[in-house]
């Protein structure tokens, strides 16, 4: 049978005693609660990493708070969730607008000054170009190393870990948000081989988390009236909305943002969350579109066609033949190989950088980023000087393409170190543009023979090298746009050979550049559905959907043969233990007892001495402890799980200490609210070093029964470890108790027992006996 929740603590403990099995003896007979010993901190390589509590702790304070809520609380709660979804969309959209405008204007000033100076001296122009890039990169790495260390990198592995149930301290702080925004402006505007799309995902997650906790108390930017989302479960939903908003803002792809959050980052999903994520992405699309319309009036300075990414190739190739499927599949194979190689190289270099280089201090990190900036500026300026200029081709009058395009503006056909006015430098067309504009040039249609094979191969080799070396530096860095740059380069190369081989007029090199971009991202990041939709949205060409699907499937299959995806590899390197969607095959031949057979269970009695609790907390790093009590026959019974963070709250408050070693009465249980036990998202929480007690206080007692979780999840010791894995991941658990086989069955619950009928405005559970065994047991009772 299914019992209701009782607010009387002794009765609740009695039900727990009835439903739970006996605790095994101390000599190791039987298996005990496994995760008390399998402490979160011991399983993780990083000391600043801790598991999140997605499970609802149904202790006395929680039940009291639920009982005291009025009938208007649920509508207010739902309304606030939708309001926060709106605010997350607006905030992320505004952050994306600010970053894009800053990057485009810095890039515009840089190229305008450089082109104006090189008319007189290429050496002085090179000096100005290099110093401009160096200043921007220095500002970025200085902000990250001295103000917001967690803002380095893309942030997607850390956010993926957060939504998987692992909290890395510092990733959602207010200073991380500031460092991410301004650091992205410096690193991307400084011309490094990285993008701003990954950092925008992290930015959206930071905005969502800060809104959920009511702002930042440290910087006096907080409001108490919105502090309703105090559980990790609610914050997880908000961060999911922020991730989708970041992708929607980066690519102007609202549907792609929803699918990215579903496929790539979150491991827990439900229909209500889908609606809010979709709404958030739609809000971002409206905000970004409004900004673009405002910028089209010329009020955004040097803001060009780039920035808010959309590479419209709707006027390109209209159809394709079956003969083209083979070279398109070859693009998929190339993408899988180069993507897997990229993952492996970045893994090796990042591991060396973290273990050897970055341990030497902030100055080394700053010097490294500045050195890479100098190398990048030198390559991007000097290599085009070594290329001969080509005469401008004959273009259609209505193509909207100008050759050469005016200096300092975005577009094809850059005149760089050319002796004639009607000439252009094809390598400078890629190097001397923002990455967004360079990709638009590579995707462009009706531009046959704009690039030579030699220039494309040169750019592919050099940019691939720069992307590998730059990844992992102490600056905000995304890999979406660099991946698209690499893929579109070899894709256009393949397109040139196809045009030459088939000699058909309807084949566009830009179409193959798009497929190459999709193949490299699929081979590196291993995304399929979300990436396919993102590529369709940013190119505005639905006809290419089957081809994008083909190259993504091929590239992902090839890449999976060699290693894991980029974010999974980097997460493991950072010590973030991600739980994959499926358990390992070896887990099917193991049971729960095998996973915890070498563990020693650390338990606490229901009424514990304060000094004993302090000793346990100091000698163990576990984050959860089973609580035991004596039964009527003197045997030990498990009555629940108490979290380390809850014990620290009780020890610091001191109001629940008692002189007696006997259980407390119900009258003392109104001293705490459920919010007292909530850990702030922007804080490490309390530490045992923060607890200061006198000798008299150490001799007192503390009754743990009102504050423990009386109904944690338990599994029998012979359950398959694969089933335990699925239960742990799908429910977002932090602890699971492993117990011997129960000796009796109280009841059996089926689907019908979980259906509720409303009768006279009272919700009554429809409980039906579904087991003859249960009926006979009830009859005996």
């Amino acid at each position: 049978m299914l019992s209701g929740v009782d607010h009387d603590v002794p009765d609740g403990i009695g039900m727990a005693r009835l439903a739970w099995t006996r605790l095994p003896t101390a000599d190791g007979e039987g298996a005990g609660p496994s995760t008390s010993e399998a402490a979160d901190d011991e399983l993780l390589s990083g000391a600043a990493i801790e598991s999140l509590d997605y499970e609802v702790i149904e202790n006395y304070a929680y039940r009291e708070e639920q009982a005291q809520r009025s009938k208007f609380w649920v509508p207010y709660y739902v309304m606030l969730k939708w309001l926060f979804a709106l605010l997350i969309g607006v905030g992320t959209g505004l952050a994306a607008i600010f970053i894009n405008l800053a990057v485009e204007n810095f890039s515009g000033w840089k190229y305008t000054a450089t082109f104006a100076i090189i008319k007189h001296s290429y050496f002085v122009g090179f000096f100005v170009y290099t110093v401009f890039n160096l200043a921007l990169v220095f500002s970025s790495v200085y902000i990250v190393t001295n103000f917001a260390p967690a803002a380095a990198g893309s942030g997607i592995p850390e956010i993926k870990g957060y939504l998987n149930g692992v909290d890395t301290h510092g990733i959602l702080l207010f200073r991380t948000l500031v460092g991410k925004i301004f650091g992205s402006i410096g690193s991307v505007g400084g011309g490094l081989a990285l993008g701003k799309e990954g950092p925008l995902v992290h930015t959206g997650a930071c905005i969502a988390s800060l809104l959920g906790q009511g702002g930042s108390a440290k910087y006096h930017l907080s409001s108490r009236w919105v502090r309703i989302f105090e559980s990790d479960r609610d914050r997880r939903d908000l961060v999911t909305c922020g991730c989708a908003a970041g992708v929607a803002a980066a690519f102007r792809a609202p549907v792609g943002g929803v699918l990215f959050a579903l496929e790539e980052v979150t491991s827990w999903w439900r229909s209500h969350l889908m609606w809010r994520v979709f709404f958030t992405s739609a809000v971002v699309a409206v905000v970004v579109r409004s900004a673009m319309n405002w910028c089209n009036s010329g009020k955004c300075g040097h803001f060009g066609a780039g920035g808010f990414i959309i590479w419209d190739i709707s006027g390109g190739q209209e159809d394709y033949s079956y003969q083209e499927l083979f070279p398109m599949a070859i693009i998929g194979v190339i993408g899988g190989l180069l993507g897997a190689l990229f993952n492996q190289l970045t893994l090796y270099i990042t591991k060396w950088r973290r273990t050897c280089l970055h341990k030497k201090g902030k100055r080394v990190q700053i010097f490294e980023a500045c050195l890479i900036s100098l190398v990048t500026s030198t390559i991007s300026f000097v290599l085009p000087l070594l290329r001969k200029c080509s005469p401008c081709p004959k273009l259609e009058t209505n193509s909207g393409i100008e050759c050469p395009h005016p200096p300092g503006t975005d577009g094809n056909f850059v005149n760089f170190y050319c002796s004639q006015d009607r000439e252009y430098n094809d390598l400078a067309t890629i190097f001397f543009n923002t990455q967004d504009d360079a990709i638009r040039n590579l995707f462009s249609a009706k531009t046959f023979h704009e690039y030579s094979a030699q220039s494309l191969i040169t750019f592919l080799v050099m940019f691939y090298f720069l992307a590998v070396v730059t990844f992992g530096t102490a600056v905000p860095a995304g890999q979406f746009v660099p991946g698209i740059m690499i893929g579109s380069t070899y894709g256009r190369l393949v397109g040139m050979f196809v045009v030459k081989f088939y000699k058909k007029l309807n084949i566009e090199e830009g179409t193959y550049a798009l497929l190459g971009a999709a193949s490299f991202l699929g081979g590196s990041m291993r995304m399929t559905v979300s990436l396919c939709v993102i590529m369709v949205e940013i190119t505005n060409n639905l006809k290419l959907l089957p081809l994008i699907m083909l190259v993504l499937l091929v590239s992902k299959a090839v890449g999976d043969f060699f290693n894991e995806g980029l974010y999974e590899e980097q997460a493991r390197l950072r010590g973030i233990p991600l739980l994959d969607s499926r358990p390992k095959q070896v887990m099917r031949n193991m049971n729960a007892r095998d996973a915890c057979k070498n563990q020693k269970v650390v338990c606490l009695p229901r009424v514990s001495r304060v000094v004993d609790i302090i000793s346990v907390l100091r000698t163990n790093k576990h984050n959860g402890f089973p609580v035991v009590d004596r039964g009527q026959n003197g045997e030990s019974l498990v009555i629940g799980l108490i979290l380390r963070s809850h014990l620290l709250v009780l020890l610091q408050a001191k109001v629940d200490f008692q002189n007696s070693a006997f259980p407390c009465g119900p009258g003392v249980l109104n001293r705490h609210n459920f919010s007292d036990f909530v850990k702030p998202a922007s804080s490490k929480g309390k530490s045992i070093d923060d607890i200061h007690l006198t000798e008299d206080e150490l001799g007192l007692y503390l009754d743990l029964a009102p504050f423990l979780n009386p109904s944690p999840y338990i599994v029998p010791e012979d359950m398959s470890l694969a089933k335990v894995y699925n239960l742990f991941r799908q429910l977002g658990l932090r602890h699971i108790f492993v117990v011997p086989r129960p000796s009796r069955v109280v009841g059996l619950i089926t689907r019908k027992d979980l259906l509720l009928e409303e009768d006279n405005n009272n919700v009554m559970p429809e409980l039906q006996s579904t087991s003859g065994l249960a009926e006979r047991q009830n009859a005996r009772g």
Side-chain angles (χ1 to χ4, degrees):
M1 64 180 178
L2 183 67
S3 301
V5 177
D6 197 328
H7 294 286
D8 187 29
V9 173
D11 290 344
I13 295 176
M15 292 301 298
R17 288 176 175 173
L18 183 64
W20 284 32
T21 185
R22 297 179 179 181
L23 186 72
T25 58
D27 57 2
E29 297 178 0
S34 66
T35 50
S36 66
E37 177 66 28
D40 306 323
D41 293 337
E42 291 182 353
L43 290 176
L44 307 178
S45 60
I49 294 177
E50 184 180 342
S51 294
L52 293 165
D53 293 312
Y54 287 157
E55 181 185 0
V56 177
I57 308 299
E58 297 178 341
N59 55 20
Y60 182 83
Y62 173 82
R63 296 196 298 267
E64 279 294 301
E65 185 173 289
Q66 293 289 320
Q68 294 174 3
R69 287 172 176 170
S70 67
K71 61 181 180 180
F72 299 106
W73 187 88
V74 173
Y76 171 71
Y77 176 76
V78 174
M79 179 194 69
L80 206 57
K81 275 191 171 183
W82 284 97
L83 176 61
F84 273 36
L86 172 66
L87 295 178
I88 292 170
V90 173
T92 307
L94 293 177
I97 293 168
F98 176 72
I99 293 174
N100 279 295
L101 291 181
V103 169
E104 288 294 315
N105 278 282
F106 277 126
S107 300
W109 295 331
K110 175 177 62 180
Y111 290 124
T112 300
T114 302
F115 276 104
I117 295 174
I118 61 177
K119 293 180 180 180
H120 307 284
S121 172
Y122 274 88
F123 179 78
V124 177
F126 168 71
F127 178 78
V128 172
Y129 176 76
T130 303
V131 169
F132 207 111
N133 285 335
L134 184 62
L136 289 173
V137 172
F138 176 80
S139 67
S140 176
V141 67
Y142 186 84
I143 290 173
V144 170
T145 54
N146 291 276
F147 182 69
S154 70
I156 292 181
E158 290 82 1
I159 299 302
K160 187 172 183 177
Y162 183 89
L163 296 177
N164 197 258
V166 181
D167 184 19
T168 305
H169 175 67
I171 62 171
L172 298 175
L173 300 179
F174 177 74
R175 67 171 180 266
T176 302
L177 171 63
V178 175
K180 209 73 177 184
I181 292 175
F182 289 96
S184 298
I185 294 172
S187 60
V188 179
L192 294 180
L194 43 82
K196 55 183 177 295
E197 291 67 35
L200 268 176
V201 176
H202 194 178
T203 298
C206 289
I207 292 174
S209 177
L210 290 170
L211 285 173
Q213 64 179 346
S216 174
K218 180 178 180 180
Y219 298 99
H220 307 287
L221 299 172
S222 60
S223 176
R224 298 187 61 86
W225 71 273
V226 294
R227 292 182 186 174
I228 190 174
F229 303 111
E230 296 179 322
S231 68
D232 290 332
R233 181 187 293 253
D234 289 332
R235 291 170 181 165
R236 172 184 61 186
D237 292 351
L238 293 176
V239 170
T240 303
C241 293
C243 290
V247 175
F251 295 103
R252 286 181 55 203
V255 180
V258 176
L259 294 176
F260 175 82
L262 173 61
E263 177 186 8
E264 185 63 19
V265 292
T266 187
S267 58
W268 191 84
W269 200 260
R270 54 181 175 173
S271 58
H272 294 294
L273 180 60
M274 170 77 81
W275 277 105
R276 286 195 298 274
V277 170
F278 185 77
F279 173 70
T280 304
S281 299
V283 171
V284 172
V286 172
V287 172
V288 172
R289 169 58 68 179
S290 302
M292 290 189 66
N293 293 335
W294 179 65
C295 288
N296 288 336
S297 61
K299 300 178 180 179
C300 298
H302 281 274
F303 183 82
F308 299 116
I309 298 175
I310 185 162
W311 302 303
D312 193 340
I313 59 172
S314 56
Q317 187 170 333
E318 296 290 339
D319 199 4
Y320 53 90
S321 62
Y322 290 104
Q323 296 174 331
E324 296 180 67
L325 295 181
F326 178 72
M328 292 174 181
I330 294 297
I331 289 179
V333 174
I334 297 174
L337 293 174
L338 291 181
L341 178 62
F342 182 86
N343 293 357
Q344 204 64 37
L345 291 177
T346 53
L347 180 65
Y348 290 149
I349 294 178
T350 306
K351 185 180 298 184
W352 170 80
R353 186 178 271 131
R354 291 170 64 90
T355 55
C356 300
L357 196 63
H358 286 179
K359 285 186 176 181
K360 297 181 180 180
K362 300 176 181 178
R363 293 184 178 180
V364 175
Q365 298 179 33
I366 296 175
F367 176 79
E368 178 201 19
C370 294
L371 179 62
I372 292 176
S373 174
L374 290 174
V375 173
T376 304
S377 299
T378 302
I379 290 176
S380 60
F381 193 96
V382 174
L383 283 183
L385 295 177
L386 305 179
R387 285 291 301 163
K388 293 183 179 180
C389 292
S390 304
C392 289
K394 294 181 179 180
L395 301 171
E396 298 178 5
T397 56
N398 58 349
S399 63
I401 300 176
E402 185 178 358
C403 180
H405 74 75
T409 61
D410 61 288
N412 301 65
F413 306 110
V414 174
N415 186 306
F416 184 82
Y417 200 59
C418 298
S419 58
Q420 303 294 329
D421 292 338
R422 294 289 298 171
E423 290 182 339
Y424 74 98
N425 190 315
D426 59 347
L427 196 53
T429 300
I430 312 176
F431 272 122
F432 258 73
N433 264 315
T434 62
Q435 292 183 20
D436 299 338
D437 293 329
I439 293 171
R440 181 177 292 102
N441 297 340
L442 291 169
F443 282 0
S444 61
K446 312 302 181 185
T447 54
F448 290 106
H449 312 299
E450 178 182 357
Y451 303 99
S452 65
Q454 183 180 0
S455 294
L456 291 178
I457 293 174
T458 302
F459 177 79
L460 175 62
V461 173
M462 298 310 302
F463 194 83
Y464 193 94
F465 163 76
L466 291 174
V468 170
V469 173
T470 307
F471 187 88
T473 53
V475 294
Q479 288 304 309
F480 276 101
V481 168
I484 294 175
M485 287 279 289
I486 295 171
S488 58
T489 304
Y490 68 73
R492 184 131 187 157
L493 265 172
V494 175
M496 291 171 59
F497 289 115
V498 172
V499 170
K500 186 176 181 180
F501 182 78
Y502 288 112
K503 298 180 180 179
K504 291 185 178 180
L505 297 178
N506 64 333
I507 297 179
E508 288 286 352
E509 298 172 2
T511 300
Y512 284 82
L514 166 66
L515 298 180
S519 70
F520 186 83
L521 292 179
S524 176
M525 300 180 183
R526 312 294 161 79
M527 296 186 297
T528 52
V529 179
S530 58
L531 182 57
C532 184
V533 174
I534 289 173
M535 296 304 293
V536 170
E537 287 188 282
I538 62 180
T539 56
N540 198 23
N541 194 333
L542 191 60
K543 296 179 181 179
L544 300 179
L545 178 61
L547 304 180
I548 297 175
M549 294 172 65
L550 170 65
V551 297
L552 282 175
L553 291 174
V554 174
S555 63
K556 185 181 187 303
V558 173
D560 285 339
F561 181 79
F562 294 98
N563 49 34
E564 292 184 297
L566 177 67
Y567 298 136
E568 288 77 13
E569 295 276 9
Q570 293 298 320
R572 282 172 176 77
L573 181 62
R574 288 166 168 79
I576 302 174
L578 294 180
L579 294 180
D580 297 329
S581 58
R582 293 184 300 174
K584 304 280 185 190
Q585 185 64 31
V586 67
M587 291 184 178
R588 303 189 184 279
N589 301 321
M590 300 174 62
N591 55 35
R593 184 187 178 103
D594 295 333
C596 57
K597 60 183 178 182
N598 297 324
Q599 297 172 0
K600 180 182 178 181
V601 180
V602 180
C603 301
L604 291 172
R606 171 180 173 173
V607 182
S608 302
R609 294 181 63 198
V610 173
V611 66
D612 295 335
I613 298 175
I614 293 290
S615 176
V616 169
L617 294 180
R618 289 193 180 277
T619 55
N620 298 276
K621 298 298 183 182
H622 311 330
N623 285 300
F625 301 91
V627 179
V628 298
D629 197 11
R630 293 292 177 182
Q632 296 178 353
N633 299 327
E635 76 279 12
S636 296
L637 297 175
V638 184
I639 62 172
L641 172 75
I642 186 76
L643 294 179
R644 181 186 190 92
S645 58
H646 291 189
L647 288 173
L648 293 174
V649 170
L650 297 175
L651 291 174
Q652 191 174 57
K654 304 180 183 180
V655 295
D656 300 288
F657 293 172
Q658 58 186 42
N659 296 315
S660 170
F662 298 98
C664 64
V668 300
L669 300 180
N670 58 355
R671 296 169 177 165
H672 295 280
N673 296 321
F674 183 71
S675 58
D676 296 340
F677 301 97
V678 174
K679 187 191 85 168
S682 60
S683 171
K684 289 183 179 180
K686 294 179 175 61
S687 169
I688 186 63
D689 298 327
D690 301 329
I691 306 301
H692 304 286
L693 301 174
T694 64
E695 290 294 333
D696 294 338
E697 292 170 338
L698 290 175
L700 299 178
Y701 294 87
L702 181 62
D703 187 0
L704 304 179
F707 314 104
L708 55 81
N709 181 6
S711 56
Y713 288 88
I714 61 174
V715 297
E717 60 181 338
D718 57 352
M719 176 181 282
S720 166
L721 191 58
K723 293 179 67 175
V724 176
Y725 183 98
N726 291 328
L727 180 69
F728 201 96
R729 186 182 188 276
Q730 293 173 8
L731 295 180
L733 302 181
R734 187 177 186 180
H735 304 93
I736 292 183
F737 278 18
V738 179
V739 298
R741 274 289 178 182
S743 59
R744 57 177 298 197
V745 178
V746 177
L748 194 66
I749 299 174
T750 66
R751 185 183 300 269
K752 292 182 179 180
D753 299 323
L754 301 177
L755 300 177
L756 300 179
E757 290 184 346
E758 294 187 7
D759 183 19
N760 295 329
N761 296 327
N762 293 322
V763 179
M764 300 295 295
E766 179 190 357
L767 303 181
Q768 300 181 4
S769 177
T770 57
S771 170
L773 176 61
E775 290 177 354
R776 290 194 296 271
Q777 288 179 345
N778 292 334
R780 293 194 188 104

